[in-house]
Amino acid sequence: MDYNENEFKAKANIKARRIWLVFALLLSANYGTDVSQGGYPSTNFIIFLILCWVPFFAGDLLLRIRGKADDRYRYALVIGYGIFYTFLICTTDSPIAFTYILPVTSLLVLYKNRKFMVTCGIVNSLIIIGSAAYR
């Protein structure tokens, strides 16, 4: 059985994209429900949707243009979701909002790069500390 690095990267990127899509859909619905019940201003929801979906579609475009095995997709994933997550954790009143990063951090295992995973974990910790200071 031959190992094909490009095939591995393509499969990891596709799995990561699918999970990112599902999580973006779920969080959009959840945040939208909170807005409709008066939990947040509608302007927050518009910003939320922009920060949620623009990075997702930019990453999708990257995969379409550069190919499914492009190594830069993992950076698009963590930076795009990181910006979105930072906004979310700074604006939500949910005490469990910090857990919204867990599905995405679990995706990092797909890439099998320890340094990348540790760096993302450190940045996540800084985001949580920063949001606590902000609030």
Side-chain angles (χ1 to χ4, degrees):
M1 185 166 184
D2 294 322
Y3 172 75
N4 184 335
E5 185 177 358
N6 283 335
E7 186 178 324
F8 171 78
K9 286 180 184 179
K11 285 181 181 180
N13 286 342
I14 295 305
K15 286 178 186 176
R17 184 189 166 281
R18 286 180 187 150
I19 294 172
W20 189 5
L21 174 63
V22 168
F23 206 58
L25 288 169
L26 291 173
L27 285 177
S28 294
N30 184 47
Y31 206 85
T33 302
D34 291 347
V35 168
S36 69
Q37 294 174 352
Y40 307 108
S42 59
T43 54
N44 274 20
F45 187 55
I46 293 167
I47 295 168
F48 173 91
L49 290 175
I50 291 168
L51 293 176
C52 178
W53 292 102
V54 168
F56 175 81
F57 287 120
D60 190 51
L61 187 61
L62 176 70
L63 287 181
R64 291 178 193 272
I65 292 171
R66 304 291 297 180
K68 292 190 183 345
D70 190 64
D71 200 33
R72 290 176 281 192
Y73 183 74
R74 66 182 171 160
Y75 297 108
L77 171 71
V78 298
I79 292 169
Y81 193 84
I83 292 167
F84 159 70
Y85 174 70
T86 302
F87 173 79
L88 180 67
I89 200 164
C90 288
T91 60
T92 188
D93 293 331
S94 173
I96 62 165
F98 71 93
T99 63
Y100 294 167
I101 198 71
L102 297 178
V104 173
T105 55
S106 67
L107 292 175
L108 302 180
V109 175
L110 293 172
Y111 295 106
K112 299 183 185 221
N113 184 324
R114 182 180 174 146
K115 182 180 175 185
F116 181 67
M117 289 187 284
V118 169
T119 302
C120 291
I122 291 169
V123 171
N124 180 51
S125 298
L126 293 173
I127 290 170
I128 292 171
I129 291 167
S131 73
Y134 173 77
R135 295 184 146 260

